[in-house]
Amino acid sequence: MSEERRKRQQQREGVSDDKTKKTFVYVVIAILLAGAFFAGKHYKDHKYDSFAQCLASKNARMYGLYWCPHCIEQKERFSASFRYVPYVECAIKDKPGELAPECKAAGAKLFPSWQFGAEPPKEGVLSMEALSDKTGCSLP
């Protein structure tokens, strides 16, 4: 009888080991999928970091208004990389309709406006390709 008990116990332990192995495999797969998701999101959010830094080194500057939908669209094209773009906020929160002195001095009237060096500002949402052509910065 003790031999029968031993066989049953070994069979139960084998089933338990299989469940543990399957659970481990599922956990590893879930971790890998989560890692791939976050790596992809990080790449998407920071895809233009070096491009935006190059724009800054070429004296490109964006003038915008915090409430302007086209300015928001331009910023969204850069995603998290926008933090490297030299940006001048032209709206004065306490004085609607008035522009910041730096924006007036640059001649920015419509927004967004991009200034490249000493050139007058170029108005409108610019594609990444247009920014690349204007500055010589290479796109990722």
Side-chain angles (χ1 to χ4, degrees):
M1 280 270 267
S2 66
E3 195 172 315
E4 270 185 45
R5 278 187 182 170
R6 198 176 322 128
K7 285 181 182 178
R8 279 190 238 149
Q9 187 176 3
Q10 286 174 348
Q11 287 174 346
R12 277 184 273 185
E13 287 174 1
V15 169
S16 176
D17 286 345
D18 288 345
K19 286 182 181 177
T20 303
K21 287 178 185 176
K22 285 181 182 178
T23 302
F24 178 74
V25 168
Y26 291 138
V27 168
V28 168
I29 289 172
I31 290 171
L32 290 173
L33 288 173
F37 171 78
F38 287 113
K41 182 169 175 20
H42 178 77
Y43 173 76
K44 180 182 170 255
D45 288 347
H46 297 279
K47 178 179 177 181
Y48 293 111
D49 280 1
S50 61
F51 179 68
Q53 291 168 346
C54 180
L55 291 177
S57 73
K58 302 286 184 166
N59 295 322
R61 176 174 295 160
M62 180 184 156
Y63 296 93
L65 305 167
Y66 67 90
W67 50 264
C68 164
H70 299 294
C71 300
I72 293 167
E73 178 188 345
Q74 185 76 72
K75 291 175 186 179
E76 286 174 349
R77 290 184 181 200
F78 283 91
S79 192
S81 301
F82 187 75
R83 69 175 179 235
Y84 297 114
V85 174
Y87 174 74
V88 178
E89 178 59 51
C90 294
I92 300 174
K93 291 186 181 186
D94 296 338
K95 299 178 183 177
E98 193 173 324
L99 295 179
E102 189 177 352
C103 300
K104 288 179 187 176
K109 295 177 183 151
L110 298 175
F111 301 95
S113 287
W114 284 90
Q115 189 170 28
F116 304 98
E119 295 179 21
K122 183 168 177 58
E123 298 161 344
V125 176
L126 299 183
S127 68
M128 295 302 201
E129 292 78 16
L131 290 169
S132 176
D133 291 343
K134 210 61 174 140
T135 59
C137 295
S138 59
L139 285 167

